[in-house]
C-alpha cells in the first residue's frame, strides 16, 4: 500500500491512477475488507504516521508531502476519523515561516477537503473541535500581508478556506462569536487585496460575521467595519460592490441601544452620504441594492436620512430612487416606525 501511495504521489502517476485503484481493491479483497475505504481505515493510523515523520522539514519538493496529500485526498471520510493526527501536521506545515510553495500546496489540499466537509474532514461531525485552532493558528497568520505573488496566492486560498468554513456551517454561531475579535480585524485588511476573489470572499465573510455577532459588537467595532466596507462600493468589480452593499443590510441590524444616535450622529451621516452617492450609480443593480439597504437603514435615524436625501436629490440624474426612499420613510413614520433613541420628527427638518 505504501508503494501504491508513492506511485500516486509521483508526478508521472496520471495514467496509472486507475491501475493503482484496481490494485488497492485487490489488496482490500485479499485482506477480507470491503473496498478501498475500508483498506484505508484499517491502515490509516500507521500510514499517516509513516508519511508525516518528517513533516516539520517538508519543502515543495518533498515526496513525503505528496504522499501525505494522497492519503488525505484518497481516504475520503476516513480522514475525518483521524483529525488528531491531521491537525498538528497542518498547523506545523502552514506556519508563515515555512516554504511558501509548500504552504500553497498544503492549503490547496485543505481547501478541496473543506468543499465537502461532511464527506471528508467532518465525516464524524468533529471538525468544529479543531476549527478554532485552524482559524487562529493557521488561517489568520496566513491572511496577513507579505510581499510576493506566492504570498498573495496563499492569502487568496486562506480566505477561500475561511469562506468555505462559514458556508459549510461546520461552525456554530457561538463558535464564530468566540473568534470574531481575532478574525474581523484581519479580514478587514483583506478587503484591499489585488485579487477580486479575495475581496469578494472577504465581503461575504464579514457579512457572515455580522450575522453571527448581531448584538455583540460595540459601536467602535461597528464603525471600524463600515469604514472599510464602504470603500468597496467603489471597487473595480461590480460583484464586489453589490456584495459590499448587501453587507450593510446586516450592519444596520447590528445597531442596538449602545449606538447612541447623538454621540455617533457624524458616523451615520457619513455612511448615509456614502450610500446615497451610489443611489445614483451607473449600475442599476447596485442602485436597487443600495435602495433596499437604505430602506432598512432608515429605521435607525429617519430624520437624518431625510435631511441627507434632500441635500443630494437635485444632484442625482433621476430623483426616482430618492422619491421612493422618501415615500418609504414617510410611510414608516405614519405607521409609527421612527427612531426611538433620538425622537426627531421629519417635520423638524
Amino acid at each position: 500500500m505504501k508503494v501504491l501511495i508513492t506511485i500516486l504521489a509521483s508526478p508521472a502517476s496520471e495514467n496509472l491512477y486507475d491501475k493503482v485503484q484496481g490494485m488497492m481493491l485487490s489488496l482490500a479483497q485479499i485482506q477480507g475488507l470491503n473496498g478501498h475505504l475500508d483498506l484505508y481505515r484499517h491502515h490509516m493510523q500507521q500510514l499517516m504516521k509513516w508519511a508525516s515523520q518528517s513533516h516539520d522539514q517538508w519543502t515543495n519538493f518533498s515526496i513525503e508531502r505528496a504522499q501525505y496529500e494522497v492519503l488525505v485526498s484518497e481516504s475520503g471520510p476516513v480522514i475525518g476519523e483521524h483529525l488528531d493526527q491531521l491537525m498538528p501536521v497542518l498547523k506545523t506545515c502552514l506556519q508563515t515561516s515555512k516554504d511558501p510553495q509548500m504552504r500553497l500546496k498544503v492549503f490547496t489540499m485543505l481547501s478541496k477537503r473543506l468543499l465537502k466537509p461532511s464527506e471528508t474532514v467532518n465525516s464524524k461531525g468533529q471538525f468544529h473541535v479543531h476549527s478554532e485552532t485552524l482559524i487562529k493558528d493557521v488561517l489568520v497568520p496566513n491572511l496577513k500581508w507579505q510581499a510576493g505573488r506566492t504570498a498573495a496566492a496563499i492569502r487568496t486560498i486562506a480566505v477561500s478556506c475561511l469562506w468555505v468554513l462559514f458556508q459549510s456551517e461546520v461552525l456554530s454561531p457561538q463558535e464564530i462569536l468566540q473568534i470574531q475579535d481575532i478574525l474581523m480585524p484581519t479580514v478587514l485588511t483583506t478587503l484591499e487585496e489585488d485579487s477580486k476573489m479575495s475581496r469578494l470572499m472577504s465581503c461575504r465573510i464579514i457579512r457572515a460575521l455580522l450575522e453571527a455577532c448581531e448584538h455583540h459588537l460595540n459601536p467602535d467595532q461597528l464603525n471600524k467595519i463600515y469604514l472599510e466596507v464602504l470603500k468597496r462600493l467603489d471597487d473595480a468589480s461590480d460583484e464586489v460592490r453589490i456584495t459590499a452593499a448587501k453587507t450593510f443590510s446586516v450592519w444596520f441590524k447590528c445597531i442596538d441601544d449602545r449606538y447612541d444616535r447623538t454621540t455617533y450622529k457624524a458616523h451615520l451621516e457619513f455612511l448615509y452620504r456614502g450610500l446615497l452617492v451610489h443611489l445614483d450609480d451607473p449600475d442599476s443593480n447596485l442602485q436597487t441594492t443600495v435602495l433596499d439597504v437604505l430602506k432598512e437603514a432608515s429605521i435607525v435615524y429617519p430624520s437624518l436620512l431625510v435631511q441627507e436625501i434632500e441635500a443630494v436629490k437635485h444632484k442625482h440624474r433621476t430623483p426616482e430612487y430618492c422619491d421612493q426612499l422618501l415615500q418609504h420613510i414617510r410611510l414608516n413614520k405614519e405607521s409609527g416606525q421612527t427612531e426611538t433613541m433620538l425622537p426627531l420628527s421629519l417635520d423638524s427638518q
Side-chain angles (χ1 to χ4, degrees):
M1 198 170 178
K2 289 178 181 178
V3 171
L4 293 173
I5 287 168
T6 304
I7 291 170
L8 288 180
S10 69
S13 67
E14 290 180 16
N15 299 325
L16 295 172
Y17 183 82
D18 290 340
K19 288 183 179 180
V20 170
Q21 291 301 94
M23 287 298 296
M24 288 282 190
L25 195 56
S26 297
L27 274 179
Q29 289 170 347
I30 288 167
Q31 295 181 64
L33 300 171
N34 186 23
H36 75 282
L37 287 182
D38 274 358
L39 185 66
Y40 277 105
R41 186 171 283 112
H42 192 68
H43 299 291
M44 194 66 170
Q45 193 161 353
Q46 289 171 283
L47 289 169
M48 290 187 78
K49 187 176 180 181
W50 160 70
S52 65
Q53 281 180 345
S54 61
H55 72 274
D56 58 333
Q57 298 168 4
W58 284 353
T59 68
N60 184 39
F61 303 105
S62 301
I63 184 63
E64 295 86 356
R65 178 205 56 76
Q67 290 167 335
Y68 200 81
E69 185 175 330
V70 169
L71 270 176
V72 174
S73 304
E74 294 295 317
S75 59
V78 178
I79 192 63
E81 302 166 18
H82 296 272
L83 297 177
D84 287 339
Q85 286 178 277
L86 173 67
M87 298 311 294
V89 173
L90 292 179
K91 186 176 175 181
T92 299
C93 294
L94 292 173
Q95 293 301 303
T96 54
S97 58
K98 295 293 183 180
D99 175 27
Q101 292 290 345
M102 185 270 291
R103 277 190 289 146
L104 190 58
K105 287 190 175 176
V106 174
F107 259 128
T108 302
M109 173 192 75
L110 174 62
S111 66
K112 288 177 180 177
R113 304 290 76 76
L114 290 175
L115 286 172
K116 294 183 178 178
S118 61
E119 298 174 20
T120 55
V121 290
N122 199 38
S123 60
K124 292 296 180 182
Q126 293 301 305
F127 193 71
H128 69 96
V129 176
H130 304 273
S131 56
E132 186 174 341
T133 297
L134 177 67
I135 290 170
K136 285 183 176 179
D137 299 335
V138 175
L139 295 180
V140 167
N142 279 283
L143 287 174
K144 292 177 181 175
W145 192 87
Q146 286 186 326
R149 298 170 85 177
T150 303
I154 288 171
R155 290 195 299 277
T156 298
I157 203 163
V159 171
S160 300
C161 287
L162 193 55
W163 171 237
V164 171
L165 263 180
F166 277 90
Q167 212 174 17
S168 64
E169 298 181 351
V170 168
L171 298 170
S172 68
Q174 189 59 37
E175 286 166 334
I176 293 172
L177 191 59
Q178 289 172 354
I179 57 171
Q180 74 84 18
D181 281 344
I182 293 170
L183 197 51
M184 184 69 86
T186 306
V187 176
L188 286 173
T189 65
T190 61
L191 287 171
E192 300 286 347
E193 285 289 334
D194 290 337
S195 163
K196 170 206 161 183
M197 192 56 63
S198 290
R199 301 194 305 275
L200 180 62
M201 288 185 291
S202 297
C203 284
R204 290 173 177 169
I205 291 166
I206 290 166
R207 185 176 181 183
L209 281 168
L210 287 170
E211 286 172 343
C213 308
E214 188 170 325
H215 298 297
H216 294 86
L217 295 170
N218 63 48
D220 288 337
Q221 289 173 310
L222 287 171
N223 289 339
K224 287 176 184 175
I225 293 166
Y226 93 74
L227 284 168
E228 296 303 321
V229 178
L230 190 61
K231 296 175 187 176
R232 297 278 59 84
L233 293 183
D234 293 314
D235 199 273
S237 162
D238 286 339
E239 191 176 4
V240 173
R241 298 169 78 213
I242 289 172
T243 305
K246 288 179 178 177
T247 301
F248 282 112
S249 65
V250 185
W251 186 90
F252 280 105
K253 291 175 184 174
C254 294
I255 289 181
D256 56 22
D257 292 353
R258 292 174 295 172
Y259 204 95
D260 182 74
R261 308 313 193 260
T262 306
T263 306
Y264 299 103
K265 180 180 177 182
H267 284 282
L268 289 171
E269 196 173 73
F270 183 77
L271 181 49
Y272 280 155
R273 286 177 184 175
L275 289 168
L276 283 168
V277 167
H278 296 281
L279 198 60
D280 193 41
D281 197 273
D283 186 324
S284 59
N285 290 328
L286 183 60
Q287 279 184 295
T288 54
T289 302
V290 170
L291 177 63
D292 291 338
V293 169
L294 283 169
K295 283 180 178 178
E296 295 178 24
S298 66
I299 301 295
V300 175
Y301 201 157
S303 52
L304 178 62
L305 182 53
V306 167
Q307 178 182 324
E308 294 303 322
I309 295 169
E310 297 292 358
V312 299
K313 182 180 171 183
H314 67 282
K315 299 177 184 177
H316 284 203
R317 284 165 292 184
T318 169
E320 177 188 352
Y321 289 115
C322 288
D323 289 338
Q324 285 186 39
L325 192 52
L326 288 168
Q327 177 69 10
H328 175 83
I329 297 170
R330 195 169 293 113
L331 289 172
N332 276 350
K333 183 196 173 189
E334 290 170 1
S335 64
Q337 293 186 44
T338 57
E339 64 263 43
T340 56
M341 297 196 64
L342 192 60
L344 301 174
S345 68
L346 298 181
D347 296 335
S348 69
Q349 301 296 339

